[in-house]
Amino acid sequence: MTTLNPKLADADFAADTSVDETFLDAAHSYVQRVRGGDMGSLPAILGLVVLFIVFGLANERFMSALNLANLVTQAGSICVLAMGLVFVLLLGDIDLSAGVAGGVSACAMGLIIVNHGWPWWAAILTGILSGAVIGLAIGVLRAKLGIPSFVVTLAFFLGLQGVTLKLIGEGGSVRVDDPVIRGITIDNLSVTAGWICALLIVVGFAGLELYRHRRKVALGLHHAPFGVLAARIIGVAVVTLGVTYILNLNRSVNPNVEIRGIPYVLPLVGLLLIALTLVLNRTSYGRHLYAVGGNAEAARRAGIRVDRIRMSVFIVCSSMAALSGIIAASYGGKVSASSGAGNTLLYAVGAAVIGGTSLFGGKGRAMDAVIGGVVVATIANGLGLLNQASYINFLVTGGVLLLAASVDAISRRRRSATGLS
């Protein structure tokens, strides 16, 4: 008669069973994962802390409420575009046309208002729809004809600039005067509304984390120690309430005028972040997306419609690019022939990669794009306050991007060596 060894019986599912893990055990496990190459957004977060310390010491205006509000507004369009690019990068593809797609979409929005007098909501929907159509065209060419994404999107990058020139003429521009659209970046929530939103975020996050923790405990699944859970909740609360406090301070340079409150662009980016995070982490579409990015052939054999997934990411990316273009138009008050061109795409790709999204596909989060977007905006903002020449900004941003790409490549190699990927 053969007896079963309980240790062997549990081995295959040891990671799924409940264990009495302490806070120190969890910290040691995290350190081991980092040493194995699974660093996530840690380098970007550490870099952001360093940037804030350096710029804060170099110029006292950097940490002022006025400058931090400007920083939030400057980062808005970059973060939104970078979040869209994450979907494409997860498949190991690239969309070089995302920036100019946002410019064309914003141009369509502006012309609809100026030439036809449509309401702001209809104009915004038209802009987003324009972006979705562009993404669909790119996706079909990429998925159905098998043309490399670099070639397809490079062609659209060149062609869409011609579309903008045709619509508004060389050297021309379309003013964006609608108060609602302009208010995205120049208006603020009331102080009361800002605190209510902040408290809802903290309470909602804490409730969700506690619910998930109790559910795992009840089902006997592996769960993080309560100390780790408490640390996450406290961290989110400190950042959320701290940012709210600073932005609710009076930041007007005119003593006779008060400017308080959170810029509308911040909750907009927050809502998009929550929505895209839920899509990636809590839906079958998100799971299929990571599966295709990890191994497209294995995903196809598992029954996943790889072509549809590949087309969808370009639609999502161009739609988010349209939103980014609208935010940029709100900030600048106009749409010109150069909108979305220049360094717009490069900054957004840099933001996604700096935040922790892998260029090799299969690894990335919407949060990576937001963190990276803040890093890129912080570099430009801080160097601007120090009156540095433009070439310094390019050199520093390029160096940070190269460093992030190097960390990504090294991390991937270490994960392969340790069997984590």
Side-chain angles (χ1 to χ4, degrees):
M1 180 175 178
T2 303
T3 58
L4 296 177
N5 186 333
K7 292 185 178 180
L8 293 178
D10 292 341
D12 290 340
F13 301 97
D16 296 327
T17 57
S18 177
V19 294
D20 296 326
E21 189 178 39
T22 66
F23 184 87
L24 291 178
D25 292 334
H28 177 72
S29 177
Y30 177 73
V31 171
Q32 292 298 109
R33 291 200 304 273
V34 170
R35 293 179 63 183
D38 186 13
M39 288 185 286
S41 299
L42 180 61
I45 294 173
L46 294 177
L48 187 60
V49 171
V50 171
L51 288 173
F52 265 71
I53 293 174
V54 171
F55 289 137
L57 294 175
N59 192 314
E60 60 182 11
R61 290 184 299 163
F62 178 79
M63 295 299 292
S64 67
L66 176 61
N67 187 64
L68 291 179
N70 290 336
L71 176 60
V72 167
T73 304
Q74 292 167 3
S77 61
I78 299 174
C79 292
V80 172
L81 182 55
M83 281 192 283
L85 284 165
V86 165
F87 282 72
V88 175
L89 293 174
L90 279 173
L91 299 191
D93 283 324
I94 189 66
D95 187 351
L96 300 177
S97 67
V100 292
V104 170
S105 301
C107 181
M109 175 202 69
L111 290 175
I112 284 293
I113 294 176
V114 173
N115 295 341
H116 302 282
W118 285 23
W120 65 268
W121 57 268
I124 290 178
L125 287 177
T126 299
I128 296 174
L129 181 61
S130 300
V133 170
I134 293 171
L136 176 61
I138 295 172
V140 168
L141 292 172
R142 172 68 183 98
K144 297 301 183 182
L145 297 185
I147 305 175
S149 60
F150 180 89
V151 177
V152 176
T153 58
L154 177 60
F156 272 78
F157 170 78
L158 298 172
L160 290 175
Q161 293 182 76
V163 172
T164 306
L165 283 173
K166 174 63 178 178
L167 291 175
I168 62 178
E170 188 170 356
S173 64
V174 179
R175 292 200 60 80
V176 179
D177 295 325
D178 184 90
V180 175
I181 297 176
R182 284 285 282 153
I184 295 175
T185 54
I186 67 173
D187 287 342
N188 310 297
L189 291 172
S190 68
V191 172
T192 302
W195 280 115
I196 291 174
C197 289
L199 291 174
L200 286 176
I201 291 172
V202 174
V203 172
F205 179 79
L208 180 61
E209 288 291 300
L210 290 170
Y211 169 76
R212 292 173 59 188
H213 181 79
R214 291 186 60 183
R215 190 163 180 267
K216 288 181 179 180
V217 171
L219 294 175
L221 299 175
H222 178 79
H223 57 274
F226 189 79
V228 174
L229 178 70
R232 284 202 295 259
I233 295 174
I234 292 173
V236 170
V238 168
V239 172
T240 303
L241 298 178
V243 170
T244 302
Y245 171 76
I246 293 173
L247 294 180
N248 279 338
L249 296 174
N250 180 25
R251 53 183 181 268
S252 175
V253 295
N254 186 343
N256 299 318
V257 178
E258 280 195 353
I259 302 178
R260 301 177 184 267
I262 299 172
Y264 279 109
V265 68
L266 181 56
L268 174 60
V269 172
L271 289 174
L272 290 171
L273 172 62
I274 293 171
L276 295 181
T277 299
L278 290 175
V279 168
L280 290 174
N281 296 344
R282 300 293 174 184
T283 65
S284 58
Y285 170 75
R287 290 190 292 272
H288 291 171
L289 184 58
Y290 283 109
V292 174
N295 190 321
E297 181 59 24
R300 185 187 65 80
R301 294 186 180 186
I304 298 174
R305 300 292 295 271
V306 175
D307 285 356
R308 290 185 179 182
I309 295 294
R310 201 173 295 280
M311 285 190 293
S312 71
V313 297
F314 287 100
I315 296 174
V316 172
C317 181
S318 293
S319 298
M320 292 293 290
L323 280 173
S324 174
I326 292 170
I327 294 172
S330 169
Y331 185 60
K334 65 177 182 178
V335 180
S336 65
S338 62
S339 293
N343 301 310
T344 302
L345 173 76
L346 302 181
Y347 281 154
V349 173
V353 176
I354 289 169
T357 299
S358 176
L359 290 170
F360 300 97
K363 178 177 175 288
R365 304 173 302 164
M367 178 59 78
D368 297 341
V370 174
I371 295 173
V374 175
V375 171
V376 171
T378 299
I379 293 172
N381 181 279
L383 291 177
L385 287 177
L386 297 178
N387 295 320
Q388 296 294 323
S390 297
Y391 76 89
I392 298 294
N393 186 11
F394 290 125
L395 288 174
V396 173
T397 305
V400 172
L401 174 57
L402 182 60
L403 178 62
S406 301
V407 170
D408 177 35
I410 294 171
S411 298
R412 180 180 174 86
R413 185 179 303 173
R414 297 187 69 173
R415 289 197 303 270
S416 299
T418 56
L420 294 178
S421 63

